[in-house]
Amino acid sequence: MSNGGGAKAVVGALVIWGTNILGLIVVDWMFDGVSIGRWGSLLLGAAVLAIGNAIIKPILAVLTLPLIVFTLGLSYFAINVLMLALAEWIAPDFRIDGFWTYVGATIVVWAVNVVVGRAIDLVADAD
């Protein structure tokens, strides 16, 4: 019996984790209000972000669905900011200063995820 599905899930999780690592590196480079100390903080922050987006974010989205609809998705963006704040809170030597830095960092992490996801889709489609 083959375990191809399990291997694909592990590879998928590692790709998401790696994409979040890249996103946090870009955010750390772009914003003076973001400080990620060492590699351990970066790796843990990206893992928390990935796990939060996979588990906590969908639960919050379902619980706040009427608010998401009423605000035309703005509160869903606030959930994304909360996931980044959770990563900052849990990972040591990871600091984001200021509301607008959170907003900008969330947009940049999202953009990195979109670009990497599209690049992976293009490579997968070429096969």
Side-chain angles (χ1 to χ4, degrees):
M1 215 178 216
S2 174
N3 192 14
K8 284 184 181 181
V10 170
V11 169
L14 289 174
V15 167
I16 291 168
W17 185 40
T19 304
N20 283 328
I21 291 170
L22 180 61
L24 291 179
I25 288 171
V26 171
V27 163
D28 189 30
W29 171 73
M30 282 183 71
F31 296 97
D32 290 334
V34 176
S35 173
I36 304 173
R38 299 183 183 268
W39 278 101
S41 299
L42 179 67
L43 299 176
L44 179 59
V48 169
L49 190 58
I51 293 167
N53 283 338
I55 297 170
I56 300 169
K57 183 175 159 184
I59 293 169
L60 289 176
V62 168
L63 292 174
T64 61
L65 189 58
L67 185 61
I68 291 170
V69 171
F70 182 71
T71 61
L72 303 176
L74 188 58
S75 58
Y76 190 69
F77 180 76
I79 292 172
N80 286 325
V81 172
L82 284 174
M83 294 302 100
L84 190 58
L86 178 67
E88 178 210 8
W89 181 61
I90 291 176
D93 297 326
F94 182 178
R95 191 185 84 249
I96 300 175
D97 295 329
F99 173 77
W100 292 111
T101 306
Y102 270 110
V103 170
T106 301
I107 292 169
V108 169
V109 169
W110 167 80
V112 168
N113 275 279
V114 168
V115 168
V116 170
R118 297 285 159 88
I120 289 171
D121 288 345
L122 287 173
V123 169
D125 289 342
D127 289 339

